[in-house]
Amino acid sequence: MTTEDDVTATALTAAAIETARAVLVEQVGADVVGDHVEAVREDDGVVTHYFACTQSGYPGWRWAVTVAHAPGQESVTVDEVVMLPGDEAIIAPAWVPWRERIRPGDLSPGDVLPVEEDDPRLVPAYLSGDPGDLAPRDAVQLDRQQVKEVSEELGLGRVRVLSLEGRELAAQRWYDGDQGPDVPLAQSAPAKCWSCGFLVRLAGPLADTFGVCANEYANDDGRVVAFLHGCGAHSDAQLRKKQLPPPLPDPVFDTLSEDDFEKF
């Protein structure tokens, strides 16, 4: 009587290895097949034999030939032939969708980055009660359904606006960034942006924390800055006495006054 161990043992014999090698060579050619590396039992009567791969450009990869031995059969049959990476193989990193790989500043002219339909940072304008900047002022007093109907009929306003989550994410990102209060530039500033004459106020829910710098000589000109940010270009900044430049020393050669020459 043939046992499960018997059929597995047959799949591990030298004859099974030679059968696996012969089929592998027939498939890929003898030039890229190396020595037998190991045999791994997959199931009862099923064994995978690994051969070294000498194919140029595939260091550390191995040929895997799976053979099976059915009870009552004299020899094994080959199930599949594949090439698999070993522990030292060079493999490509895990694929990441382009949308997840992109970072701020990666977009070039002509690139398009559409948002997802269920992007949590955005909500339909009529759900927020804000039909958009172009809508009449009294429209925001209507209920949501009326705002939606008026906006769609007249083509006014934006289709979607920032959700509460979107505003919080933006505010935290700006506050923690280079235009926030914790950077060295702000820590050494003579005063904060909220008291600067070059600060342009924003409108909307972020107006109580952020503004836009309008000082052409400041590092943050044209950027959103936190009220607690600051820089040396503050509108009220003045040089202290110890910061005044020292007086110039007397010139070694007097090049400012006229020389008197005796007339001969």
Side-chain angles (χ1 to χ4, degrees):
M1 179 178 180
T2 303
T3 65
E4 294 177 352
D5 291 338
D6 292 335
V7 295
T8 300
T10 303
L12 290 168
T13 61
I17 296 176
E18 290 304 317
T19 299
R21 178 185 290 276
V23 174
L24 176 60
V25 169
E26 181 182 353
Q27 293 288 328
V28 301
D31 295 339
V32 295
V33 179
D35 297 333
H36 183 262
V37 178
E38 64 174 336
V40 178
R41 177 177 176 176
E42 307 290 354
D43 201 349
D44 295 332
V46 181
V47 175
T48 298
H49 293 280
Y50 290 92
F51 298 86
C53 175
T54 58
Q55 174 72 45
S56 177
Y58 290 88
W61 287 68
R62 304 186 301 178
W63 297 108
V65 183
T66 301
V67 300
H69 180 249
Q73 299 295 320
E74 295 183 357
S75 60
V76 297
T77 57
V78 175
D79 289 348
E80 64 177 358
V81 176
V82 295
M83 185 168 61
L84 299 175
D87 294 337
E88 300 179 356
I90 300 176
I91 58 177
W95 183 79
V96 179
W98 178 75
R99 176 178 294 279
E100 299 178 16
R101 297 197 309 267
I102 194 169
R103 292 293 179 267
D106 287 348
L107 289 180
S108 301
D111 290 343
V112 177
L113 181 63
V115 297
E116 300 288 352
E117 289 295 330
D118 56 350
D119 193 321
R121 299 171 300 171
L122 298 169
V123 293
Y126 63 86
L127 291 181
S128 69
D130 175 16
D133 295 337
L134 299 180
R137 289 180 177 269
D138 57 351
V140 297
Q141 304 300 327
L142 303 175
D143 59 34
R144 291 176 177 176
Q145 184 60 32
Q146 289 176 319
V147 172
K148 178 183 179 182
E149 294 175 356
V150 171
S151 297
E152 291 179 348
E153 181 178 353
L154 301 181
L156 299 175
R158 295 170 290 174
V159 176
R160 289 189 286 182
V161 297
L162 275 175
S163 63
L164 178 60
E165 180 178 353
R167 292 198 299 267
E168 290 179 347
L169 289 173
Q172 193 64 51
R173 185 172 62 251
W174 295 347
Y175 200 82
D176 295 338
D178 293 339
Q179 286 74 44
D182 298 327
V183 295
L185 183 68
Q187 295 293 325
S188 60
K192 303 301 182 182
C193 289
W194 66 267
S195 61
C196 182
F198 293 108
L199 181 75
V200 177
R201 300 280 179 169
L202 296 176
L206 298 179
D208 58 347
T209 310
F210 300 97
V212 177
C213 178
N215 187 346
E216 62 179 315
Y217 298 108
N219 294 356
D220 301 315
D221 179 40
R223 296 185 176 93
V224 174
V225 293
F227 283 173
L228 297 181
H229 184 62
C231 72
H234 192 280
S235 59
D236 295 330
Q238 295 181 353
L239 290 176
R240 295 188 294 269
K241 289 185 178 180
K242 65 178 182 180
Q243 293 178 317
L244 293 175
L248 295 175
D250 295 334
V252 177
F253 297 101
D254 186 0
T255 60
L256 301 178
S257 61
E258 297 181 358
D259 295 329
D260 295 328
F261 295 99
E262 293 184 0
K263 294 182 180 180
F264 295 95

